Amino acid sequence: MDPKEKMKIPRQKMPEQKPEVRRGNFQEVPFGYPEETAMLEAKRCLQCKKPGCMKGCPVEVKIPDFIRLIAEGDHWGAIKKIKETNSLPAVCGRVCPQESQCESMCIVGKKAEPVAVGRLERFVADLERKSGKVSKPQIAPPTGKRVAVVGSGPSGLTVAGDLSRMGHKVVIFEALHKAGGVLVYGIPEFRLPKEIVQAEINFLQDIGIEVECNTVIGKADTLDELLNNGFDAVFVGTGAGAPIFMNIPGENLIGVYSANEYLTRSNLMKAYLFPEYDTPILTSKVVVVVGGGNVAMDSARTALRLGANEVHLVYRRSKEEMPARTEEAHHAEEEGVIFDLLTNPLRYIGDDKGKLVAVECQKMELGEPDQSGRRRPVPIKGSEFQLAIDTAIVAIGNGPNPLVPSTTPDLKLNRKGNIEADLRNCKTSKRGVFAGGDIVRGAATVILAMGDGKVSARSIDAYLKDPAWWDLPTPEPEPQPEKAPKATKKPE
Amino acid sequence: MHKIVRTDTLAPSMFLMEVEAPKIAEKRKAGQFIILRIDEKGERVPFTVADSDTKRGTITLIYQVVGKTTAQMSSLRAGDSLLDICGPLGQPTHIEKFGTVCCIGGGTGIAIAYPIAKSLGQAGNKVLSILGARTKELLFYENEVRAISNELLICTDDGSYGQKGLVTDMLKQLIDRGEQLKLVVAIGPVPMMKFVARMTKEYNIHTIVSLNPIMIDGSGMCGCCRVSVGGATKFVCVDGPEFDAHQVDFELLTKRLASYREKEAQAYDMYKHACKIGRG
């Protein structure tokens, strides 16, 4: 097929549950490509000599190669190819912001819609998982070195997988009772089925990684204790796990949740199956979600599925500035979430039992651009209004979790409390300790965290082979920490 | 999995469970807590560690049956297991030699006050303990607390044991007889802690309370356990569980504890019903 013919094939749609159906269940929204659709979509790839798509991928997936294999019908070859560099393809195929990474650099995308890299990745990853015949990667002979990985989110799982392949013994420590971090407690079932995360964890355990759940590093053991008790290096990937509130009146009323709490109750604790499961969640009539990121979308869509009659998304800027993926905002709107844009909450109002009954908001207009380049929202005087609600979910971001830093005095932090690490090699100020993902970057994305995991694995391997590596100067100039641009905010 | 090695009934609806958790037994300090989950469908519930035994590798939990999870716990026996225990969590009690200290335990709070009183005693303090309960049969740990205290005062609301009165009456006696209290530790039902705080504020005696809000992760991630202390929002799981009693907003704590009252009652009723059917 010549390039002209390829360009004529339209980007293939992925079938999905209808909005009116899916808002009543927690099952995954898209169904994934059938084989013939996947092969047709794969044929759209131009097989560029200098592929732009790969430049957009933080974990260096050999994109044109795996797509060619799908086009040729060699799906097993394709998944093997992906897994050479990406240990979580079924996750990435679902939650990566492809539109601002690989797909944004696709040459086809200059004239037509880009090749659906994410959907194709998902297709082969699902095919492999469903077959039950998961291929094991090549594992180097044991080096006798031991690495502790703190946190089992996307960065931790990636660094663990890569180090294990290099022959090092890895133990992952997870605070919660289930491994997966934000993939398990944060991202809802309808966007990332937990069975998929579990399959990835099982795979890591199959290749020899130990996972110790219910272990809060900083409380059970400190980093120093890990380093003094048989671990040659430590990777810290504890994430952005401290919810931020707005500090406005009424935030402690019953019915005001952090998005973390709301999503954790529903996702990790399965409160949507109460009373079969013991953890309750409030049954709501009218819900306000504050924020405009993917976490806000996840919260709003969860509230609908939990039976709320009306869900408002209150965001202080306009739709254009929303950090959520376009696809997520679109899904939320389709399902009936009401977008109250250019609106900001001022206070929550409660009854005498301390229960939330209303929120007072203010309308905003856009002024001059601020530091982030987005136009600053400015309150409109006299525009205050009240909305009767019984639940509010605050989804305006997360700070770094303090437990590891607070018990590791020689670990340098920045002003915001994030761990300082050189993103070229993920080295921290403390010898033998590496860090990556949101605990370094602040709230970013799953894939950037995975990219840090990859970089860390290489660095740790080099350090374990020769401890003098630690003191070598880093050759290349230090890149600016990649700030999640629009539409690449953390997709949980 | 954590094997239960011993269970005991301390008083009507008040139980003890000793369970294997060697790492926690080794690490925990007075004032810290754990979060447990009985089984796959269970909720995560925090309990302060009442005691630990590093030789046996066990921790002791003391609890009152108030809902589904605690009722289910009370049905377990030695040899059964708990699925998950995470800990130790929270900040340990600040222990130093203050001089004369008073440790007050009410209800299940006795179980939490005990290890703190023990640690304060070991640090060289003169420990005056007060135990209070509604009635005689709800009192427990009398001998344990007596053994580590310089003096023990006991009171019951109905006068069925010890002196008739409230723990605040006992505290007043200590103050009136001229004890120079440098610290009061009050742990028990929220109203008890509130009234102790009110009294010690009058006398300007530094007072610590241990709070028990609803929690999920216990590591500062969800914010469910937030309380207001001195006008600022704090997370009990990482900032606490102990706070300056004179700064705590007890009304807010009480209200937030009632967040899920109806759902909790529903779950408990269903559990009791299922047990009845189970018994045929």
Side-chain angles (χ1 to χ4, degrees):
Chain A
M1 205 182 274
D2 68 35
K4 260 191 189 158
E5 281 177 289
K6 284 172 178 265
M7 295 293 286
K8 275 188 196 147
I9 308 169
R11 180 175 160 113
Q12 297 300 300
K13 286 207 169 70
M14 186 160 56
E16 60 182 30
Q17 283 195 67
K18 287 201 172 73
E20 59 276 17
V21 175
R22 69 185 193 234
R23 63 170 281 177
N25 69 55
F26 275 86
Q27 278 132 45
E28 192 176 12
V29 171
F31 297 118
Y33 276 156
E35 187 183 12
E36 57 274 26
T37 315
M39 288 177 72
L40 187 59
E41 180 64 30
K43 290 199 172 81
R44 298 180 65 228
C45 175
L46 298 177
Q47 294 294 313
C48 306
K49 289 246 159 49
K50 285 184 187 167
C53 51
M54 280 180 68
K55 280 189 219 143
C57 178
V59 296
E60 305 148 16
V61 170
K62 292 167 186 155
I63 296 169
D65 291 356
F66 96 76
I67 293 184
R68 178 177 46 80
L69 289 164
I70 296 177
E72 291 166 359
D74 182 5
H75 309 320
W76 293 98
I79 187 64
K80 268 199 166 155
K81 187 56 75 183
I82 296 174
K83 281 191 158 178
E84 284 176 16
T85 61
N86 180 359
S87 36
L88 306 171
V91 173
C92 290
R94 288 172 165 83
V95 303
C96 264
Q98 291 101 10
E99 65 281 4
S100 59
Q101 297 191 326
C102 50
E103 294 180 15
S104 76
M105 317 274 262
C106 173
I107 308 295
V108 178
K110 299 213 160 131
K111 290 219 168 123
E113 281 191 282
V115 176
V117 179
R119 293 171 184 178
L120 290 171
E121 182 179 30
R122 173 194 162 125
F123 164 71
V124 283
D126 286 359
L127 198 71
E128 185 195 43
R129 191 184 65 260
K130 283 176 190 154
S131 77
K133 286 180 278 182
V134 177
S135 58
K136 277 194 192 167
Q138 278 219 317
I139 301 208
T143 61
K145 303 287 184 185
R146 288 166 60 84
V147 182
V149 170
V150 185
S152 65
S155 70
L157 294 180
T158 304
V159 75
D162 285 12
L163 284 171
S164 192
R165 262 173 261 196
M166 296 167 182
H168 307 300
K169 174 71 194 171
V170 179
V171 182
I172 302 180
F173 296 98
E174 166 56 43
L176 291 168
H177 57 259
K178 203 165 256 157
V182 74
L183 307 175
V184 166
Y185 75 74
I187 305 181
E189 180 78 17
F190 55 81
R191 210 147 73 74
L192 178 63
K194 299 308 141 216
E195 163 213 340
I196 290 171
V197 184
Q198 195 53 51
E200 304 285 15
I201 311 259
N202 292 348
F203 170 76
L204 292 177
Q205 286 175 315
D206 280 350
I207 63 171
I209 294 169
E210 271 176 56
V211 182
E212 282 196 27
C213 287
N214 294 313
T215 308
V216 181
I217 298 300
K219 286 287 166 194
D221 274 321
T222 61
L223 294 193
D224 285 312
E225 285 171 305
L226 292 175
L227 288 168
N228 294 333
N229 292 313
F231 287 104
D232 301 290
V234 177
F235 173 80
V236 182
T238 46
I244 295 171
F245 287 92
M246 290 174 72
N247 277 320
I248 57 175
E251 270 182 322
N252 291 335
L253 290 165
I254 299 169
V256 183
Y257 286 99
S258 75
N260 279 3
E261 182 187 348
Y262 196 73
L263 292 172
T264 300
R265 281 182 182 273
S266 180
N267 300 332
L268 177 71
M269 304 310 297
K270 304 221 182 306
Y272 65 90
L273 296 173
F274 179 89
E276 185 197 342
Y277 280 72
D278 289 345
T279 304
I281 195 162
L282 291 178
T283 310
S284 317
K285 291 194 178 74
V286 185
V287 179
V288 151
V289 178
V290 183
N294 290 314
V295 178
M297 299 304 157
D298 285 346
S299 304
R301 297 170 70 195
T302 298
L304 279 178
R305 284 160 173 78
L306 285 166
N309 300 335
E310 206 176 298
V311 178
H312 294 256
L313 189 115
V314 167
Y315 179 56
R316 65 196 180 123
R317 304 183 200 243
S318 71
K319 209 169 179 180
E320 231 162 69
E321 290 83 17
M322 261 192 188
R325 290 181 70 187
T326 317
E327 180 185 318
E328 300 309 328
H330 175 68
H331 273 147
E333 269 194 308
E334 272 185 347
E335 287 167 14
V337 174
I338 302 158
F339 282 23
D340 292 337
L341 301 169
L342 290 164
T343 305
N344 204 31
L346 292 174
R347 66 183 175 116
Y348 299 102
I349 300 158
D351 65 10
D352 56 352
K353 292 199 174 86
K355 284 191 179 158
L356 175 68
V357 293
V359 58
E360 185 171 300
C361 295
Q362 182 173 43
K363 298 298 278 182
M364 314 290 276
E365 59 191 353
L366 291 178
E368 295 300 308
D370 64 11
Q371 282 174 330
S372 73
R374 298 181 297 177
R375 291 177 65 191
R376 186 193 305 275
V378 183
I380 302 174
K381 272 192 192 134
S383 66
E384 295 81 4
F385 67 98
Q386 287 190 2
L387 187 63
I389 60 171
D390 52 8
T391 302
I393 303 164
V394 184
I396 58 164
N398 283 291
N401 189 288
L403 288 179
V404 168
S406 69
T407 51
T408 319
D410 48 345
L411 197 59
K412 254 197 213 158
L413 307 179
N414 70 10
R415 254 183 327 121
K416 288 179 174 168
N418 293 99
I419 295 177
E420 270 189 19
D422 182 336
L423 286 171
R424 287 168 298 180
N425 51 27
C426 294
K427 249 163 62 173
T428 67
S429 60
K430 187 175 170 67
R431 198 179 181 90
V433 176
F434 300 77
D438 283 3
I439 188 67
V440 173
R441 293 175 181 270
T445 63
V446 166
I447 190 71
L448 287 174
M450 290 177 60
D452 292 348
K454 276 210 107 49
V455 170
S456 296
R458 268 181 219 143
S459 302
I460 293 171
D461 184 54
Y463 170 66
L464 293 177
K465 281 184 178 137
D466 178 13
W469 174 88
W470 188 272
D471 306 305
L472 295 178
T474 311
E476 300 152 48
E478 184 166 9
Q480 288 302 305
E482 196 170 335
K483 275 272 162 58
K486 173 167 161 54
T488 65
K489 270 283 167 88
K490 186 172 197 107
E492 80 274 36
Chain B
M1 290 294 256
H2 299 264
K3 208 168 100 186
I4 298 166
V5 297
R6 182 168 68 104
T7 61
D8 198 3
T9 305
L10 299 175
S13 80
M14 206 91 82
F15 300 92
L16 174 151
M17 177 183 277
E18 187 182 343
V19 58
E20 283 177 357
K23 184 90 192 174
I24 301 171
E26 179 201 318
K27 289 275 172 181
R28 56 78 53 166
K29 296 197 177 90
Q32 289 189 298
F33 65 95
I34 56 100
I35 286 188
L36 65 77
R37 207 165 65 117
I38 300 177
D39 56 29
E40 194 48 48
K41 294 182 177 178
E43 53 183 340
R44 294 172 64 96
V45 189
F47 293 93
T48 304
V49 179
D51 214 344
S52 60
D53 186 329
T54 43
K55 279 202 200 99
R56 284 156 66 92
T58 59
I59 56 170
T60 300
L61 309 174
I62 287 173
Y63 60 94
Q64 184 171 15
V65 171
V66 291
K68 196 235 163 179
T69 299
T70 42
Q72 195 183 345
M73 278 169 74
S74 73
S75 75
L76 300 174
R77 293 291 168 261
D80 293 339
S81 291
L82 301 176
L83 182 58
D84 300 299
I85 302 183
C86 177
L89 298 167
Q91 305 290 340
T93 310
H94 174 69
I95 302 286
E96 64 170 74
K97 190 173 174 183
F98 297 98
T100 305
V101 299
C102 175
C103 293
I104 306 175
T108 44
I110 294 173
I112 308 167
Y114 166 64
I116 298 173
K118 194 164 147 187
S119 296
L120 284 168
Q122 283 162 354
N125 291 285
K126 178 179 171 191
V127 177
L128 309 175
S129 296
I130 300 172
L131 299 185
R134 234 175 36 244
T135 182
K136 182 187 172 187
E137 59 179 2
L138 292 174
L139 265 177
F140 62 95
Y141 261 31
E142 180 188 339
N143 292 334
E144 283 86 345
V145 176
R146 191 182 304 281
I148 51 105
S149 306
N150 296 75
E151 186 180 344
L152 171 63
L153 281 75
I154 293 179
C155 60
T156 47
D157 295 7
D158 61 1
S160 55
Y161 193 66
Q163 301 185 49
K164 182 174 180 353
L166 302 170
V167 294
T168 39
D169 300 326
M170 304 299 111
L171 178 61
K172 186 83 179 9
Q173 288 176 16
L174 293 177
I175 295 168
D176 287 349
R177 77 180 195 206
E179 292 290 351
Q180 294 300 307
L181 299 177
K182 292 288 183 284
L183 173 72
V184 170
V185 179
I187 301 166
V190 179
M192 184 207 98
M193 295 193 285
K194 185 171 82 180
F195 285 110
V196 169
R198 202 173 278 178
M199 174 176 284
T200 57
K201 194 167 186 188
E202 245 175 71
Y203 292 94
N204 204 16
I205 305 168
H206 182 46
T207 302
I208 293 292
V209 287
S210 178
L211 308 183
N212 60 335
I214 303 171
M215 288 188 190
I216 306 176
D217 66 295
S219 60
M221 187 269 282
C222 80
C224 173
C225 64
R226 57 199 193 273
V227 290
S228 177
V229 180
T233 294
K234 299 279 178 192
F235 290 3
V236 173
C237 66
V238 288
D239 300 322
E242 293 171 12
F243 293 99
D244 179 348
H246 300 156
Q247 305 287 323
V248 171
D249 182 342
F250 289 105
E251 313 297 328
L252 179 71
L253 175 66
T254 307
K255 284 173 180 167
R256 286 188 63 84
L257 277 166
S259 296
Y260 296 99
R261 190 142 288 169
E262 283 164 33
K263 298 225 172 195
E264 285 162 356
Q266 182 194 351
Y268 193 15
D269 285 345
M270 281 179 59
Y271 176 76
K272 284 190 278 196
H273 185 64
C275 287
K276 265 185 210 153
I277 292 171
R279 277 202 297 268

